[in-house]
Amino acid sequence: MKQLVEIAHCPICNATDFKKVMISKDHMITGEEFSIVECSSCGFWFTSPIPSENKIGEYYKSDVYVSHSSSKKGLINSVYNWVRNYTLKKKLKLVQGLCEKGVVVDYGCGTGHFLNILKKAGYDAKGFEPDDDARRFTGKEFGIQTSPLDKFSELPKESVDVITMWHVLEHVYHLKRDFENIVDRIKPGGYLIIAVPNRMSFDAESYKELWAAYDLPRHLYHFSPSDIKNLSTSFGLELVEIAPMKFDAYYVSMLSEKYKGGSLMRAFMNGVKSNRKADENGFSSQIYVFKK
């Protein structure tokens, strides 16, 4: 399956000197090994080499990749779907606190669950998603038509009140180019909501190369809180809020224990520890709210 592309420049600072910090596997689907490197200049971690742009979609083609599936088969998928239903309401409340009505874009909308909640709440909600199967699911399940990501640029500049990216930024193939394109579509005074895993969290430190949120090679970037702030503020965005995604510590620990042959009890305890220690290095995943 591999057709690999070496990353010549740091996706954030454009430096060219890197060191390898970790080798991990695609535990989810193929079992192939991939490397994570660190930029010697800014400290950013990213996957390199990565699958070519025309091949990386093949690493999403599995029912076990639950962010593109509503399967309830097995304990982990069942827990994932229960938590998703709960967190959808929390996400909606966050958007409502920023913008009572208007245009909301879910960038990388997956199978459309959040898009459906937005529309029911009265927003002019638009979804963009690269995966054909996910878009077909959204149409069949919710009757909502979504667009391929290459149509996103057709949105008028400064026309969107809120753009949400729920565990999407780590997948974006051309980080700075696409991030600039996203920011350009937000109205002055509008908001960008980004949720990403936090490689500085307790569970990341605990599981190391078995940490499920590295999710190689689908996750191209492995953000610390400072990385997100540096990237976003370089495009003129103001950080106004950081919110936890506490359930992620349990879900990621469950997957990580599965990869190492551990137990659900240990996963639960590591989830508890990770949330308790979040004052030190942040939660397993965090939501960043930026204002333009």
Side-chain angles (χ1 to χ4, degrees):
M1 191 179 288
K2 284 185 180 182
Q3 284 187 10
L4 300 182
V5 177
E6 291 280 353
I7 305 302
H9 299 271
C10 172
I12 287 186
C13 77
N14 213 40
T16 57
D17 185 27
F18 322 128
K19 63 179 180 181
K20 187 180 294 186
V21 293
M22 188 180 299
I23 296 176
S24 186
K25 289 183 178 181
D26 174 7
H27 295 281
M28 189 73 75
I29 298 175
T30 69
E32 298 172 21
E33 288 189 340
F34 294 89
S35 298
I36 296 175
V37 302
E38 179 182 17
C39 175
S40 298
S41 179
C42 71
F44 185 45
W45 286 25
F46 53 97
T47 308
S48 182
I50 60 175
S52 60
E53 194 168 7
N54 66 337
K55 285 290 184 180
I56 197 163
E58 297 177 14
Y59 290 88
Y60 292 84
K61 298 296 184 181
S62 172
D63 286 342
V64 300
Y65 192 65
V66 293
S67 70
H68 285 286
S69 171
S70 287
S71 171
K72 295 181 176 62
K73 296 178 181 178
L75 178 61
I76 289 179
N77 279 0
S78 296
V79 170
Y80 177 90
N81 280 278
W82 181 87
V83 170
R84 176 166 59 187
N85 290 334
Y86 174 82
T87 57
L88 283 173
K89 298 174 184 176
K90 301 284 284 186
K91 292 174 181 178
L92 176 61
K93 186 176 180 180
L94 176 60
V95 171
Q96 289 173 324
L98 302 173
C99 172
E100 293 183 357
K101 60 182 180 180
V103 179
V104 180
V105 167
D106 193 17
Y107 187 99
C109 61
T111 46
H113 291 78
F114 185 58
L115 195 63
N116 183 50
I117 292 289
L118 287 170
K119 283 190 171 290
K120 286 182 176 180
Y123 288 98
D124 180 4
K126 307 177 189 298
F128 294 85
E129 168 58 40
D131 187 77
D132 293 339
D133 292 335
R135 293 200 306 275
R136 280 192 289 269
F137 178 93
T138 304
K140 182 178 179 180
E141 185 78 4
F142 303 117
I144 299 173
Q145 297 306 308
T146 55
S147 303
L149 276 186
D150 59 12
K151 297 293 185 182
F152 178 79
S153 296
E154 297 179 7
L155 287 174
K157 290 186 177 181
E158 299 187 347
S159 65
V160 182
D161 294 286
V162 180
I163 295 179
T164 63
M165 303 180 73
W166 304 110
H167 285 295
V168 170
L169 190 63
E170 61 268 36
H171 299 266
V172 170
Y173 205 86
H174 302 282
L175 181 60
K176 292 191 81 170
R177 184 198 75 183
D178 292 345
F179 197 86
E180 181 176 18
N181 195 28
I182 289 163
V183 173
D184 282 348
R185 267 68 203 168
I186 303 172
K187 294 177 181 179
Y191 295 90
L192 174 62
I193 300 173
I194 299 170
V196 289
N198 172 21
R199 70 170 177 83
M200 304 298 291
S201 65
F202 172 83
D203 49 301
E205 291 291 325
S206 177
Y207 288 110
K208 302 187 185 304
E209 72 276 2
L210 294 176
W211 189 49
Y214 285 127
D215 198 18
L216 305 179
R218 290 161 291 276
H219 288 189
L220 305 177
Y221 320 107
H222 313 285
F223 295 102
S224 69
S226 62
D227 295 327
I228 287 291
K229 295 171 191 174
N230 290 340
L231 174 65
S232 301
T233 54
S234 71
F235 286 93
L237 299 177
E238 175 194 358
L239 178 64
V240 295
E241 183 180 355
I242 300 176
M245 302 188 81
K246 293 184 178 180
F247 282 113
D248 279 31
Y250 300 101
Y251 175 66
V252 170
S253 293
M254 285 173 64
L255 285 177
S256 302
E257 285 293 334
K258 179 182 177 182
Y259 299 158
K260 68 181 292 187
S263 68
L264 286 176
M265 179 57 69
R266 185 179 296 274
F268 177 78
M269 292 308 300
N270 274 342
V272 170
K273 289 179 183 178
S274 187
N275 286 330
R276 284 180 176 173
K277 291 178 174 288
D279 286 343
E280 299 174 21
N281 292 307
F283 290 87
S284 181
S285 292
Q286 300 193 138
I287 300 168
Y288 302 83
V289 181
F290 292 92
K291 185 175 184 179
K292 183 174 177 180

